[in-house]
């Protein structure tokens, strides 16, 4: 038996949380984290959405499949991949500044290129590129310094480079593939490397389970836990065997979910860097999504896509910093909270009310509360606020004509029963 899918389709069958995990103390850090930084970085950052002079529609990291680029041709990108501006310290420090408690980076995406120094083959950043360094070692050290948990994304099913991996039907015959052999002899050795060579790993983020059987999913979960028992496995291991549930991309459930869960999300439209994608979400939109997710008991895993030079696009940096600045003042209303009534989060008896749309008269109205409102204050600076009851419900009279914080003004409410 598995736990919750959601009626709204945000969490689909297969991506649910394994029921016993709901009580598992290994997830405590994840339950309290509420915000993580995702990084999609790979060879696809070089074409950055264009191939042979043509803009290729869709998300950047899918260019190999969308343009049906033959393996022999795609491989050659590695010869030019030289991210001389890569700075692990800057990346980990941005995650910390943003207030992200964990960082998930693509060790291997669907294109099959390993962004770390694997010994299972030579299709990797150390052996095939002029760069010749293993960025994951540098990132592991930087994350340690900044108190951010390092986690790895690993595409366990789709591998468009490996002859037995899923998805490439333009170089290989799908019907001749030995998928089980690929899982046993390629995926597992690589997962072992990721869990052995970089210190403690917060979680392994598997993706697009597709043809994974229950036995294969179970085998991989057990394999991870045998090496690092505390390492979590996300819902996209497939077959309802995740330590926590994963929603679809950019999907936010409409109501509270009775599971531990996460929404992976883009900051523009792509995951991997795409030069022509400038559809950046506003800082207010991003903070609202974070709070909306926290208020329903989930984590927000927000993506950035660095360039092939190793630079995080400035609009992403600015947005991450804006979220971090907001969290610095209001983090108490997000970290370690559980779903509350209204658009609220809760810590103990304090209910944090998140006001996205500021009322012109400065009076915040709440129709009903699960108790009497005994006091209210502005979380940002502690200013006590006047509280009143009328026939409609409760009012907090702030006296502020404009939103004190245009991103999200948080009122801390004390309730008595
Ligand atoms: O196909 C991938 C996609 O490239 C990206 O990695 C996202 C992140 O959640 N996952 C898959 C699609 O759901």
């Amino acid at each position: 038996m598995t736990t919750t899918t959601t009626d709204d389709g945000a969490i689909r069958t297969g991506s649910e949380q394994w029921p016993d995990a709901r009580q598992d103390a290994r997830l405590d850090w994840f339950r309290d984290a509420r915000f993580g930084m995702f990084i999609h970085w790979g060879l696809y950052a070089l074409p950055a959405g264009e191939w042979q002079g043509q803009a290729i529609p869709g998300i950047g990291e899918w260019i190999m499949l969308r343009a049906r680029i033959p393996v022999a041709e795609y491989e050659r990108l590695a010869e030019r991949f030289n991210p001389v501006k890569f700075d692990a310290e800057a990346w980990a420090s941005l995650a910390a500044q943003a207030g992200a408690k964990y960082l998930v980076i693509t060790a291997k995406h669907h294109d099959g290129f390993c962004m770390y120094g694997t010994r299972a083959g030579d299709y990797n950043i150390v052996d095939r590129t002029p760069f010749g360094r293993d960025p994951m070692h540098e990132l592991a050290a930087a994350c340690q310094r900044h108190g951010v948990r390092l986690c790895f994304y690993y595409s366990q099913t789709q591998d468009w480079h490996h002859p037995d991996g899923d998805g490439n039907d333009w170089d290989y015959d799908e019907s001749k593939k030995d998928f089980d052999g690929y899982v046993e002899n390629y995926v597992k050795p690589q997962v072992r490397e990721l869990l052995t060579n970089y210190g403690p790993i917060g979680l392994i983020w598997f993706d697009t389970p597709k043809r994974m059987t229950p036995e294969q999913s179970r085998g991989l979960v057990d394999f991870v836990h045998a090496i690092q028992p505390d390492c979590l496995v996300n819902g996209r291991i497939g077959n309802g065997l995740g330590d926590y549930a994963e929603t679809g991309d950019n999907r936010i459930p409409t109501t509270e979910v009775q599971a531990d869960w996460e929404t992976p999300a883009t900051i523009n439209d792509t995951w991997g860097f795409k030069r022509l994608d400038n559809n950046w979400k506003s800082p207010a939109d991003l903070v609202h999504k974070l709070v909306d997710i926290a208020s329903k008991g989930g984590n927000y895993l927000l993506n950035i896509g660095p360039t092939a030079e190793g630079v995080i696009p400035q609009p992403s940096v600015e947005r991450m910093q804006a979220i971090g600045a907001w969290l610095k003042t209001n983090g108490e209303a997000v970290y370690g909270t559980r779903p509350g009534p209204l658009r609220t989060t809760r810590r103990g008896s304090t209910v944090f009310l998140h006001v996205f749309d500021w009322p012109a008269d400065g009076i915040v109205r709440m129709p009903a509360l699960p108790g009497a409102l005994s006091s209210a204050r502005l979380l940002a600076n502690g200013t006590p606020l006047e509280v009143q009851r009328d026939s409609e419900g409760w009012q907090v009279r702030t006296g502020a004509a404009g939103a004190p914080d245009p991103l999200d003004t948080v009122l801390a409410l004390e309730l008595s029963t």
Side-chain angles (χ1 to χ4, degrees):
M1 190 192 79
T2 53
T3 48
T4 322
T5 52
T6 53
D7 292 342
D8 55 28
I11 298 173
R12 285 191 297 251
T13 306
S15 301
E16 313 94 315
Q17 178 181 39
W18 179 243
D20 291 350
R22 188 73 169 123
Q23 280 76 43
D24 192 335
R26 293 180 313 125
L27 275 89
D28 283 349
W29 72 264
F30 180 84
R31 291 182 187 114
D32 289 348
R34 293 292 172 246
F35 187 40
M37 185 164 103
F38 214 171
I39 303 182
H40 276 67
W41 195 41
L43 293 184
Y44 39 79
L46 260 179
E50 288 161 70
W51 195 252
Q52 294 174 342
Q54 303 276 349
I56 307 296
I59 42 187
E61 71 283 4
W62 273 66
I63 195 165
M64 181 176 175
L65 182 138
R66 295 263 183 263
R68 295 287 188 284
I69 305 171
V71 162
E73 227 175 292
Y74 190 87
E75 276 187 338
R76 301 211 57 188
L77 289 172
E79 297 165 16
R80 293 191 286 123
F81 192 78
N82 195 13
V84 287
K85 296 192 178 152
F86 167 70
D87 179 352
E89 174 58 28
W91 290 18
S93 139
L94 179 66
Q97 269 180 63
K101 300 295 181 191
Y102 58 111
L103 180 159
V104 185
I105 183 163
T106 44
K108 186 192 83 163
H109 202 265
H110 307 332
D111 67 354
F113 187 71
C114 294
M115 292 297 286
Y116 73 100
T118 179
R119 293 279 165 84
D122 71 346
Y123 195 47
N124 69 76
I125 188 164
V126 177
D127 293 324
R128 290 277 186 108
T129 74
F131 186 61
R133 277 161 37 203
D134 182 340
M136 302 307 175
H137 280 305
E138 297 169 39
L139 212 48
C143 281
Q144 283 259 327
R145 284 195 293 278
H146 287 278
V148 174
R149 280 176 203 261
L150 178 68
C151 310
F152 288 124
Y153 170 108
Y154 185 90
S155 177
Q156 82 278 25
T157 306
Q158 296 197 69
D159 188 318
W160 305 328
H161 181 265
H162 196 290
D164 292 315
D166 180 276
N168 182 339
D169 59 5
W170 58 98
D171 285 287
Y172 311 119
D173 180 346
E174 288 280 334
S175 69
K176 299 222 169 80
K177 288 180 178 177
D178 172 13
F179 183 68
D180 200 52
Y182 154 80
V183 171
E184 292 303 315
N185 306 320
Y186 191 67
V187 172
K188 283 187 175 170
Q190 293 204 320
V191 168
R192 179 185 294 286
E193 292 173 328
L194 293 172
L195 291 173
T196 310
N197 298 340
Y198 304 94
I201 300 303
L203 57 91
I204 296 257
W205 214 98
F206 293 111
D207 205 0
T208 59
K210 295 180 75 183
R211 56 164 100 184
M212 294 280 287
T213 63
E215 293 69 33
Q216 285 165 338
S217 297
R218 163 60 57 206
L220 205 43
V221 170
D222 291 347
F223 187 80
V224 168
H225 290 159
I227 303 169
Q228 286 203 25
D230 289 337
C231 178
L232 305 179
V233 170
N234 73 331
R236 294 200 194 164
I237 186 68
N239 298 295
L241 291 171
D243 284 324
Y244 66 88
E246 197 73 60
T247 71
D249 294 346
N250 292 303
R251 293 293 302 267
I252 303 180
T254 47
T255 53
E256 181 184 341
V257 183
Q258 300 301 328
D260 300 300
W261 60 276
E262 174 184 67
T263 291
T266 51
I267 202 163
N268 44 354
D269 290 329
T270 185
W271 303 85
F273 177 68
K274 206 173 162 185
R275 213 164 39 83
L276 297 175
D277 181 350
N278 287 301
N279 193 22
W280 306 103
K281 295 174 183 67
S282 70
D285 188 14
L286 297 168
V287 168
H288 293 180
K289 288 184 162 71
L290 167 63
V291 171
D292 192 19
I293 288 167
S295 76
K296 294 166 185 165
N299 284 5
Y300 191 33
L301 181 62
L302 182 61
N303 184 71
I304 55 159
T307 67
E309 280 194 302
V311 175
I312 300 173
Q314 192 56 22
S316 295
V317 171
E318 286 162 11
R319 280 155 182 78
M320 284 291 178
Q321 286 173 338
I323 297 170
W326 181 83
L327 277 168
K328 198 156 192 222
T329 316
N330 298 286
E332 192 187 339
V334 172
Y335 301 124
T337 60
R338 301 294 174 257
L342 303 172
R343 185 181 278 136
T344 58
T345 49
R346 177 180 60 77
R347 180 192 311 280
S349 63
T350 305
V351 171
F352 301 102
L353 178 70
H354 298 260
V355 187
F356 291 174
D357 303 307
W358 194 255
D361 59 6
I363 303 173
V364 178
R365 294 173 175 81
M366 290 160 287
L369 286 171
L373 181 55
S374 47
S375 69
R377 70 194 146 90
L378 201 58
L379 181 63
N381 58 18
T383 308
L385 303 169
E386 190 191 331
V387 169
Q388 276 187 5
R389 169 119 221 209
D390 64 12
S391 56
E392 306 276 289
W394 295 93
Q395 294 184 356
V396 179
R397 304 179 84 88
T398 67
D405 187 326
L407 262 52
D408 167 17
T409 304
V410 181
L411 308 186
L413 313 177
E414 298 302 329
L415 304 183
S416 53
T417 44

